[in-house]
Amino acid sequence: MATFYSIHPENPQKRSIEKIARDLQNGAIMLYPTDTVYAIGCDINVKSAVERVRQLKRLSNDKPLTFLCSSLSNISEYARVSDRAYRIMKRLIPGPYTFLLPATKLVPKLVMDPKRKTTGIRVPDNAICLSLLEALGNPAVSTSAHIPNEDGAFPTLGLEKQRLFDTLEPLVDAIIDDGSEPGSQVSTILDFTSEEPEVVRKGLGWEAVEDLNVASSY
């Protein structure tokens, strides 16, 4: 059964955050709020925890996992960032954006796209996430928290919070509640793996990207 934490959305309680971070370092997985939807996450460096997240989401090993970084400089440790990508990302973070980038050797194989050697990274505009990252000292996996139906399909995002908590409580070790309802809009995805940046999914914050003259595949 998961431990519940009621965390202030703007001023996260340091003691609780540090306790969650220690548990993550020891292999725990969590359900937690982000600036888009509730997510399932773990310490990126704990292989057993990443494997549990994959099993929970029913992901095969060739499906990449997005992870959270604390800043643009932190991203540059885990991905190769071109000058153009840097200028665009600097305008957008923190915020509801996922950046697809060429991975460095610091990205675990269980997390990256094994064929393209790319990775998806976010810097969320969320005080709880950023506090956890600071306490961890490294990135955290972040995959949207869906609930599987009996047929194995995942329903639309935006589930009622209590149902989400009740369903995932037996499957995770920690549940963070910031008082908000689960979001229903996903992040905007920008692909920086080729010379020309491209928007491959329009989500929250899309309007700000449109102002930066980034091409779209839509």
Side-chain angles (χ1 to χ4, degrees):
M1 299 293 283
T3 302
F4 276 81
Y5 295 89
S6 182
I7 305 292
H8 194 283
E10 297 176 2
N11 298 292
Q13 297 91 321
K14 184 177 180 181
R15 182 175 297 178
S16 295
I17 291 294
E18 290 178 346
K19 172 64 167 60
I20 296 168
R22 287 195 299 272
D23 289 345
L24 294 177
Q25 290 166 345
N26 289 324
I29 65 174
M30 62 179 173
L31 174 65
Y32 66 111
T34 71
D35 56 349
T36 54
V37 299
Y38 260 80
I40 298 167
C42 65
D43 187 323
I44 194 175
N45 292 326
V46 182
K47 183 179 178 180
S48 61
V50 176
E51 289 173 340
R52 284 181 63 198
V53 171
R54 284 195 169 280
Q55 291 168 1
L56 181 55
K57 284 294 296 280
R58 300 179 184 176
L59 292 173
S60 60
N61 284 343
D62 62 349
K63 299 292 184 182
L65 285 168
T66 296
F67 60 91
L68 306 181
C69 279
S70 59
S71 64
L72 185 49
S73 60
N74 190 207
I75 287 178
S76 66
E77 297 177 47
Y78 292 86
R80 296 194 301 277
V81 181
S82 69
D83 290 343
R84 185 173 182 188
Y86 182 91
R87 289 194 296 270
I88 293 171
M89 292 161 66
K90 190 175 181 180
R91 296 275 298 273
L92 297 175
I93 62 174
Y97 306 96
T98 299
F99 306 110
L100 302 182
L101 295 156
T104 68
K105 292 182 179 180
L106 285 182
V107 180
K109 291 181 180 180
L110 262 181
V111 175
M112 73 168 70
D113 184 322
K115 295 178 181 178
R116 301 179 65 202
K117 306 297 183 186
T118 59
T119 193
I121 304 179
R122 296 195 57 215
V123 179
D125 187 11
N126 180 282
I128 292 174
C129 292
L130 295 175
S131 295
L132 278 171
L133 293 171
E134 181 181 2
L136 267 179
N138 52 254
V141 166
S142 179
T143 179
S144 56
H146 302 251
I147 297 177
N149 288 327
E150 292 181 1
D151 61 1
F154 290 91
T156 308
L157 294 168
L159 294 164
E160 191 266 331
K161 181 165 69 175
Q162 196 56 53
R163 182 185 167 216
L164 186 68
F165 285 4
D166 289 347
T167 303
L168 293 178
E169 182 182 5
L171 305 174
V172 300
D173 304 299
I175 294 178
I176 299 174
D177 186 359
D178 68 350
S180 67
E181 287 297 320
S184 59
Q185 289 185 278
V186 292
S187 63
T188 293
I189 300 178
L190 293 88
D191 188 342
F192 290 120
T193 60
S194 58
E195 288 187 12
E196 286 299 319
E198 184 179 33
V199 175
V200 294
R201 184 177 76 186
K202 292 182 181 179
L204 278 174
W206 157 243
E207 298 81 8
V209 178
E210 199 170 22
D211 293 340
L212 298 176
N213 297 317
V214 179
S216 172
S217 61
Y218 282 76

